[in-house]
Amino acid sequence: MPHGPVVESLMERGFHVYAINPKQLDRFRDRFSPAGAKDDSRDAMVLADALRTDAHCFRPLLTLDPLLVELREWSRILDELHLDRTRLGHRVRELLWRYYPQLLEVSQDIAAPWFLALWRLVPTPAKVARVHEATIARLLKRYRSRRLHGRQVLEMLRTIPVPVAAGTVAAATGQLETVAARLDLVNYQIASAELQLDRLTVALSVPVEPSGPQLGEQRDVAILRTLPGVGRIVLATLLAEASDALRRRDYHALRCLSGVAPITKRSGKKREVLMRQAVQGRLRNAVDHWARVAVQHDPRSREKYAALRARGHGHARALRSVADWLIAVACKMLVSQTAFDPSLARRAD
């Protein structure tokens, strides 16, 4: 593993530490034992000899800025919180489907704080008959929900309720109370984690002294933020999971880590191009989201996506190509230390 107390202790004491993938070790082991023999002492010899003869195949680990270490942890915490929010939201949907399906028509985001507040206001179909339109309008105004208005929500909730067995409503509402309480906590923690990410990215964007050990890194944050499709989560994930490649402006490493670089298998007359599977999962998701948002808001990205779809490529394949282009633009911006300019971005093709 490229991190942990053992790795950090070795690096603090001046050792040169390299990250070696287990698959690489397995391939190098075949040079010493084609029969497949394996033991710890043999693996130690294989690792040492592989690093001696093929050091260019491995990447040395560098000491990260303390702010980047903290940013990486908060980024992963936020990712786990979103997974918890999705899981609890599915439970809310299942419980409402048992006795209150008309409430599900109000919104798709059933884990949102305003939706939970609406459920607490009218937890059962029997309560809907006694609630006023103005009460629902005040709730929507308090949570700044402009897509819906009180009359519209009230009409949805006053549809004919689903007949259920006796005791179903009480049982489902009891479970919903516990799930909603956990969702309140998760929503609060998500908001706190997002504030932490904003604080850390702002701190990383402060310029450093020219003699600093992390020269240019703080400036990189400000440059990356100008790219189309890069928001809080995408920026934090890029800095957290690909800081070394960004520091080196390594376009090929970035496209391999994020999975936009395909894998080509060729033997004789057979040639096969496949999607890369050995990637950093969180980075792949962030880059995919980056490309999808860029297609929606950046004209040049939209043109590339439309051209790829017209050539017969699928949605995911086209997004990977757009992401590949965005990574190339980002690396050129970091090398030249310039912000994103749509007119100059056309020259990066």
Side-chain angles (χ1 to χ4, degrees), residues 281-298:
R282 298 187 65 251
L283 187 61
R284 163 177 274 176
N285 293 335
V287 170
D288 182 78
H289 179 73
W290 176 15
R292 181 172 58 83
V293 177
V295 167
Q296 296 174 352
H297 296 92
D298 177 48

Side-chain angles (χ1 to χ4, degrees), residues 215-221 223-224 242-254 327-328 330-337:
L215 177 60
E217 186 172 50
Q218 282 76 359
R219 177 59 180 160
D220 293 352
V221 179
I223 293 174
L224 292 172
S243 58
D244 183 49
L246 286 174
R247 186 187 294 110
R248 292 183 284 109
R249 280 78 166 116
D250 194 336
Y251 161 69
H252 296 287
L254 283 171
I327 290 174
C331 289
K332 292 186 178 183
M333 288 167 50
L334 292 174
V335 170
S336 60
Q337 290 290 287

Side-chain angles (χ1 to χ4, degrees), residues 187-200:
N187 285 328
Y188 172 77
Q189 291 176 335
I190 287 175
S192 300
E194 290 175 346
L195 289 176
Q196 291 291 341
L197 290 184
D198 291 338
R199 176 184 65 83
L200 292 169

Side-chain angles (χ1 to χ4, degrees), residues 48-189:
D49 192 70
L51 190 60
R52 180 181 63 83
T53 60
D54 301 277
H56 63 280
C57 296
F58 312 109
R59 62 182 180 91
L61 300 181
L62 302 177
T63 303
L64 291 179
D65 186 285
L67 289 176
L68 277 179
V69 176
E70 189 177 358
L71 179 70
R72 181 178 60 191
E73 293 306 316
W74 277 109
S75 175
R76 294 177 180 179
I77 288 172
L78 182 60
D79 194 35
E80 293 175 359
L81 288 172
H82 278 297
L83 292 176
D84 291 339
R85 186 179 188 270
T86 302
R87 177 177 56 83
L88 292 172
H90 289 331
R91 290 202 60 188
V92 171
R93 183 182 302 276
E94 179 185 0
L95 291 169
L96 289 175
W97 187 256
R98 292 179 59 186
Y99 80 102
Y100 207 176
Q102 55 267 40
L103 186 59
L104 296 174
E105 302 296 329
V106 176
S107 175
Q108 294 294 326
D109 189 7
I110 58 179
W114 73 269
F115 187 90
L116 298 176
L118 177 63
W119 172 79
R120 290 188 175 98
L121 180 65
V122 281
T124 62
K127 295 288 184 66
V128 178
R130 298 193 296 271
V131 72
H132 297 284
E133 177 185 337
T135 305
I136 296 180
R138 284 196 299 270
L139 184 145
L140 296 176
K141 183 178 180 180
R142 184 167 71 251
Y143 286 92
R144 300 179 181 180
S145 178
R146 301 180 180 180
R147 188 177 62 86
L148 299 170
H149 51 81
R151 180 182 295 275
Q152 181 183 3
V153 173
L154 202 58
E155 290 176 354
M156 293 180 184
L157 296 181
R158 285 182 175 174
T159 55
I160 300 176
V162 177
V164 296
T168 300
V169 174
T173 52
Q175 291 190 54
L176 267 172
E177 288 177 0
T178 62
V179 177
R182 279 179 279 174
L183 263 176
D184 289 337
L185 176 60
V186 170
N187 285 328
Y188 172 77
Q189 291 176 335

